[in-house]
Amino acid sequence: TPKTLENADYFPVIHGVSKAAMVVVLGVLLALQVYFLSKLFNSKVALVYLFLVSFEPYLVGIHRWFHQTSLETFLAFTSILALLLWYKTGLKKPLIVSAVLLGFSLLAKITTLILGPVFLAIFVTRLLKTKDLKDLWIFAACTIATIFVFFPALWVAPGYVFSKIYGAVSGAVSGDIRSELIPLWVQPFYYLVTLGLKLSPVTLVLGVMSFWNLRKSKDFTVRIFFLTFVVYYLFFTITDQKIDRYSIAFFPIILSLAAVYLAKAKLRVALVWG
């Protein structure tokens, strides 16, 4: 009997199956993102986004590492896109898809909770127009049901589970030793510096250009992208945990804005358009 899983002769099989499963899940989520972007904008934006994601080295690397941060980020972003499609069309199917994906994202990592203001902004904006709370209750019910069904520990020992969640959240907000390794004056800019180091040069330039040119956009989806970026940045900055891998959360937002900018600027990407 091996003392550790990593030293077992069957570990390469387990490792390969785990990585393959993660790649398949992330591939399906990417396909959903492309679909939702094509409905929210157009096929050009969706294909440019696909191109940018496929050739972003750090993003691809983290995906192949099959870490929870990668799964959480893609689930949460796809959930936001689905909810935006519901906002645009009023259809129930994207609403339910968004709720289920949000539930899975919360199961992957509790960090998804920080996106509460983003989901709330989408719902409040639509509810101010429709005055109908039914969709909000459907969304909440589907999210809770997803968490409950796929998290059996919650049925067996809810007190223990919630205490562990509280400990994880409080540990992330304060008391993390890694924050002491970074100078105090650098901490507010930590994730900006990290993005500057992790993004490819092309994406970095496109990201800056898209942020500048789309900053006054009236498009609701673009505004939600900006809000998501700000919410992530504020919460990641005020917490003690400073981990470069968390910068992955910003990648889908930056790449989406870059795709919108490129499409609006009518610039051609050779490998996409020929």
Side-chain angles (χ1 to χ4, degrees), residues 178-194 197 233 236-242:
R178 280 167 287 208
S179 64
E180 299 178 11
L181 304 176
I182 304 170
L184 191 62
W185 66 272
V186 174
Q187 292 186 21
F189 312 104
Y190 177 82
Y191 285 101
L192 287 180
V193 174
T194 301
L197 295 172
Y233 195 86
F236 284 165
T237 299
I238 63 176
T239 59
D240 277 356
Q241 281 193 359
K242 297 291 184 290

Side-chain angles (χ1 to χ4, degrees), residues 96-174:
I96 295 172
V97 170
S98 176
V100 172
L101 291 175
L102 177 61
F104 282 130
S105 184
L106 287 166
L107 288 173
K109 285 188 72 177
I110 199 66
T111 314
T112 304
L113 281 176
I114 68 178
L115 290 176
V118 177
F119 287 90
L120 187 62
I122 299 172
F123 272 110
V124 169
T125 305
R126 180 166 174 82
L127 291 175
L128 287 174
K129 299 177 181 179
T130 64
K131 311 296 183 182
D132 186 0
L133 290 173
K134 184 173 65 175
D135 284 352
L136 177 59
W137 292 118
I138 292 174
F139 183 85
C142 290
T143 302
I144 294 171
T146 300
I147 295 172
F148 187 79
V149 169
F150 290 93
F151 194 12
L154 196 59
W155 322 340
V156 180
Y160 173 78
V161 169
F162 283 117
S163 67
K164 295 292 288 184
I165 291 175
Y166 174 79
V169 172
S170 60
V173 174
S174 61

Side-chain angles (χ1 to χ4, degrees), residues 6-220:
E6 290 82 359
N7 291 324
D9 56 1
Y10 52 80
F11 176 73
V13 177
I14 297 175
H15 180 86
V17 171
S18 301
K19 180 173 288 190
M22 181 64 78
V23 168
V24 169
V25 171
L26 291 172
V28 170
L29 290 173
L30 179 58
L32 285 174
Q33 290 171 12
V34 171
Y35 170 78
F36 289 136
L37 285 170
S38 69
K39 296 299 182 182
L40 291 167
F41 297 102
N42 53 56
S43 58
K44 183 185 291 188
V45 171
L47 288 174
V48 172
Y49 172 78
L50 176 62
F51 174 84
L52 294 174
V53 168
S54 302
F55 288 90
E56 192 59 35
Y58 188 66
L59 181 63
V60 174
I62 292 294
H63 281 356
R64 288 184 60 79
W65 191 21
F66 61 93
H67 198 281
Q68 285 175 301
T69 300
S70 184
L71 183 60
E72 173 211 14
T73 296
F74 256 41
L75 283 166
F77 184 65
T78 312
S79 177
I80 291 174
L81 291 179
L83 194 62
L84 285 168
L85 185 58
W86 162 80
Y87 173 88
K88 181 178 180 180
T89 64
L91 296 174
K92 294 294 188 292
K93 186 178 292 186
L95 177 73
I96 295 172
V97 170
S98 176
V100 172
L101 291 175
L102 177 61
F104 282 130
S105 184
L106 287 166
L107 288 173
K109 285 188 72 177
I110 199 66
T111 314
T112 304
L113 281 176
I114 68 178
L115 290 176
V118 177
F119 287 90
L120 187 62
I122 299 172
F123 272 110
V124 169
T125 305
R126 180 166 174 82
L127 291 175
L128 287 174
K129 299 177 181 179
T130 64
K131 311 296 183 182
D132 186 0
L133 290 173
K134 184 173 65 175
D135 284 352
L136 177 59
W137 292 118
I138 292 174
F139 183 85
C142 290
T143 302
I144 294 171
T146 300
I147 295 172
F148 187 79
V149 169
F150 290 93
F151 194 12
L154 196 59
W155 322 340
V156 180
Y160 173 78
V161 169
F162 283 117
S163 67
K164 295 292 288 184
I165 291 175
Y166 174 79
V169 172
S170 60
V173 174
S174 61
D176 193 282
I177 188 65
R178 280 167 287 208
S179 64
E180 299 178 11
L181 304 176
I182 304 170
L184 191 62
W185 66 272
V186 174
Q187 292 186 21
F189 312 104
Y190 177 82
Y191 285 101
L192 287 180
V193 174
T194 301
L195 286 171
L197 295 172
K198 300 300 184 182
L199 287 168
S200 67
V202 173
T203 303
L204 185 60
V205 172
L206 287 175
V208 173
M209 292 174 66
S210 62
F211 269 65
W212 177 256
N213 286 279
L214 297 175
R215 70 190 188 283
K216 296 181 180 180
S217 174
K218 302 297 183 182
D219 188 289
F220 183 73

